[in-house]
Amino acid sequence: ADRYDFITGFLSYGQDRRWKRRLIAFADLRDGDRVLDLACGTGDILFAAIPPARVAVGVDVTFRMLQLARERRADARAALVTGDMIALPIASARFTVVTVGYGLRNVPDLDEALREIHRVLVPRGRLLSLDFNRPSNAIVRVAYLTYLTIVGSLLGFALHGDPDTYRYIPESIRKYPGARGVAQR
């Protein structure tokens, strides 16, 4: 958790912050929106949603991530909750917008997570997901996954003494159905 922001920035060449700003712009948030940010991590997307959102709740399965988010920014309009996106501790039809940054790719049961998201969204609510995608071009895909494997292994060894620490990233991308697959589901 303590190195999450560094790793995300490093692997994305610093683009992750720009991507998160674009996600918030796409959300077209309004004054009355109630935002649920799943896999909220250290709160980048959550805190960018307020204002204009009236209420924002961040959920993450890792308590340390939420501690870091609280340390970064205390905001009475943002609640932080430890929870799992496949069993959300939230009442049905509660949020107008659900955002997920780098979370759907890592969830153990994508279909169950999508059912839970649907459950907590109001009718005609909006889901916005930001994630790494698997390139459709085979040559680009091999280069991309090789880059993530090699750099992730080097970072894992340098930061944790374990080259397998970040091996889940390219593996999760290989298994992830991608943006189109998620949209179809």
Side-chain angles (χ1 to χ4, degrees):
D2 293 278
R3 294 183 175 113
Y4 176 81
D5 289 332
F6 169 76
I7 295 299
T8 303
F10 191 89
L11 291 177
S12 70
Y13 293 104
Q15 295 298 304
D16 65 301
R17 297 221 185 267
R18 184 174 64 88
W19 297 335
K20 291 170 184 174
R21 285 192 303 270
R22 286 184 64 198
L23 178 123
I24 290 296
F26 281 131
D28 191 28
L29 297 174
R30 297 173 199 99
D31 186 39
D33 276 327
R34 296 177 313 278
V35 176
L36 174 63
D37 183 30
L38 298 175
C40 72
T42 59
D44 289 342
I45 295 170
L46 174 72
F47 296 129
I50 48 176
R54 179 169 38 110
V55 173
V57 175
V59 174
D60 202 288
V61 73
T62 305
F63 180 69
R64 178 65 181 143
M65 288 290 211
L66 301 175
Q67 287 178 314
L68 292 168
R70 277 192 190 95
E71 290 171 11
R72 287 180 67 199
R73 181 173 165 189
D75 192 316
R77 293 169 295 177
L80 295 166
V81 177
T82 303
D84 190 333
M85 78 171 80
I86 60 173
L88 291 168
I90 293 167
S92 298
R94 182 76 194 248
F95 293 93
T96 57
V97 176
V98 172
T99 58
V100 187
Y102 312 114
L104 291 180
R105 176 178 44 85
N106 293 309
V107 74
D109 187 337
L110 177 59
D111 292 323
E112 186 58 33
L114 291 173
R115 279 191 286 278
E116 277 292 275
I117 290 167
H118 183 261
R119 181 184 66 77
V120 300
L121 275 170
V122 299
R124 301 187 54 84
R126 304 178 313 275
L127 165 63
L128 292 97
S129 175
L130 169 64
D131 218 319
F132 295 111
N133 209 356
R134 187 177 53 245
S136 56
N137 180 293
I139 294 169
V140 173
R141 184 173 51 248
V142 167
Y144 175 63
L145 294 173
T146 300
Y147 161 77
L148 289 174
T149 300
I150 291 170
V151 173
S153 294
L154 291 172
L155 285 172
F157 184 74
L159 298 174
H160 306 283
D162 180 3
D164 292 332
T165 301
Y166 300 110
R167 178 113 21 212
Y168 77 93
I169 296 171
E171 288 305 315
S172 66
I173 291 170
R174 281 185 186 93
K175 296 174 186 170
Y176 187 58
R180 283 193 178 99
V182 170
Q184 288 171 348
R185 287 179 172 182

